[in-house]
Amino acid sequence: MLLGSVEAGGTKFVCAVGNEDFKVQESVTFPTTTPEETLRKTLAFFKKFADLKAIGVSSFGPIEIRKSSPKYGYITNTPKPGWKDTDFVNKLQASFPVPIAWTTDVNGSAYGEYIAYKKAGLQLSSLAYYTVGTGIGAGIVTDGKLVGSEGHPELGHVYLKRHSADLNFKGICPYHGDCLEGLASGPTFKARLGIAGQDVPLTDPTWDIIAYYVAQGVMQATLALRPSKIVIGGGVSSEAFLKKVRLHFKKLLNDYVAVGDLEQYIVTPKVPHNGSAIMGSLALALAEYQKSAQPKATNA
C-alpha cells in the first residue's frame, strides 16, 4: 500500500511516499514560495504514483480543520505573505480523489512521535510536542487522538511572566507582541542581538531567557494536560538547550505535581532527522484510509 505525506512548512515543503509501516520510499524537498508554484510542485511529485491510497498533510497555519466550515482545508489567517486564505485540500483532492488527512505541522509531528514510541513498544497515554524554531507551536495526542475540535491548539501564543533581564523587549509576534512565540522563537535572537540564533553561543545569557520562557510553556502544558511526555523539536531545540529548560521547569514547578525523571519527561524527538511530521502524516493518511474503507452504517 502506498501512502502520501506532505510536511508543508513555512520555509520548505517535504513530500514523501511510504508504506503502511511508515517507511519512506521516495521524497522530495523544495522551498515554500508562492501557493501556486509550491502546490504545483506538490501535485507533480504525487502524480508519479498511480496507486496512492491516501494522503496526509501536516501544514503550517493557522488552518481550518472543522469539516462543517466552508473553508475546511484552507490555510487561513497566516502572516506568511501570499498564503492567507489558500485552499489546500480541495486543490489536492481535485487531482487525487483519495482520503486526505488534514492537520497542522506540529500535530503531524506530535502524532509521529506518538507512533514512534508505540512502534518501540512504549504505549504512551498522551504526549505533547512543541516546535521551537521560526515560530512556536504545539500538538497534543491523547489516547491516540489529536486534541482540538473547534480548532487546533495554539500554545505558541500563550502569555508568560517576563524574565527580569528581558523586560524591555517588546516581542515579535505581529498579533500579540510578547506571547511565547513573540519572546522565544528563533527570530527573537536577531531582534535582540542582531545575529541569528545559530550564531549565538550557548554561553550567551539570551539562551537562558529563551529557556525560561519555553519552560513556562512546558509548565502550562504539564498542569493543563498532564501528558506522559513532552517532546521539544525545531531549529532552536538541542539536548544542551533542554538542560536549561529542565532547570527552569524544575524551579517553576517546585514539585507541585509528580512528572518523574525530567530527562525522560522533557525530551528531544525520537524520530531522527526531523522526520516526525512525515511519519505522523503517513500514519494519519493510513488512519483516514481505514476510516473510509469501513462500511457505512445503515438505518434498520
Side-chain angles (χ1 to χ4, degrees):
M1 179 189 295
L2 281 185
L3 303 166
S5 165
V6 183
E7 181 184 1
T11 302
K12 66 181 180 180
F13 269 46
V14 182
C15 299
V17 166
N19 60 20
E20 61 266 39
D21 197 38
F22 318 131
K23 298 293 185 183
V24 173
Q25 298 181 2
E26 188 173 337
S27 67
V28 65
T29 302
F30 44 85
T32 306
T33 55
T34 64
E36 295 76 19
E37 181 181 25
T38 308
L39 292 178
R40 184 170 65 248
K41 289 181 178 180
T42 300
L43 297 176
F45 172 76
F46 287 120
K47 282 179 180 176
K48 298 187 296 180
F49 306 94
D51 52 350
L52 280 178
K53 299 299 183 185
I55 301 173
V57 182
S58 300
S59 173
F60 70 93
I63 65 173
E64 180 58 79
I65 65 169
R66 295 173 296 175
K67 291 190 175 181
S68 60
S69 169
K71 285 194 173 182
Y72 171 75
Y74 278 59
I75 295 173
T76 58
N77 199 28
T78 178
K80 184 168 180 61
W83 282 83
K84 184 177 180 180
D85 287 331
T86 294
D87 184 354
F88 198 130
V89 170
N90 284 327
K91 289 181 180 178
L92 196 59
Q93 193 92 66
S95 295
F96 303 98
V98 298
I100 295 177
W102 170 245
T103 193
T104 63
D105 46 3
V106 285
N107 271 351
S109 293
Y111 202 73
E113 286 293 304
Y114 174 82
I115 292 295
Y117 277 101
K118 185 177 180 179
K119 285 169 67 68
L122 180 57
Q123 184 73 52
L124 299 177
S125 58
S126 58
L127 175 147
Y129 178 96
Y130 278 84
T131 184
V132 183
T134 304
I136 296 180
I140 302 105
V141 181
T142 297
D143 294 330
K145 296 180 180 180
L146 291 167
V147 169
S149 56
E150 290 303 299
H152 49 81
E154 285 286 2
L155 293 180
H157 292 271
V158 297
Y159 284 103
L160 311 168
K161 180 179 180 179
R162 297 298 296 266
H163 192 287
S164 60
D166 196 46
L167 298 178
N168 294 324
F169 181 60
K170 294 182 179 179
I172 64 169
C173 175
Y175 291 98
H176 311 117
D178 60 349
C179 60
L180 176 56
E181 181 172 291
L183 293 174
S185 60
T188 64
F189 284 96
K190 183 83 170 178
R192 288 184 176 93
L193 306 173
I195 54 177
Q198 62 263 30
D199 298 322
V200 179
L202 274 169
T203 53
D204 189 290
T206 305
W207 280 104
D208 195 60
I209 292 171
I210 301 296
Y212 174 69
Y213 292 139
V214 172
Q216 288 188 60
V218 172
M219 183 171 174
Q220 290 188 17
T222 296
L223 296 179
L225 304 166
R226 298 297 279 124
S228 304
K229 196 174 291 288
I230 292 182
V231 183
I232 300 180
V236 172
S237 179
S238 67
E239 185 56 40
F241 175 65
L242 260 59
K243 286 182 180 179
K244 295 178 180 291
V245 173
R246 293 183 192 114
L247 284 172
H248 281 294
F249 176 80
K250 183 175 177 62
K251 292 177 183 177
L252 290 167
L253 188 64
N254 197 27
D255 295 324
Y256 181 65
V257 295
V259 296
D261 183 353
L262 290 185
E263 292 190 358
Q264 297 300 315
Y265 180 63
I266 304 171
V267 299
T268 55
K270 187 172 185 63
V271 182
H273 312 304
N274 296 316
S276 304
I278 293 297
M279 178 175 282
S281 297
L282 289 172
L284 289 167
L286 178 61
E288 199 69 21
Y289 170 77
Q290 291 171 336
K291 189 192 306 180
S292 70
Q294 292 175 352
K296 297 281 193 281
T298 57
N299 294 325

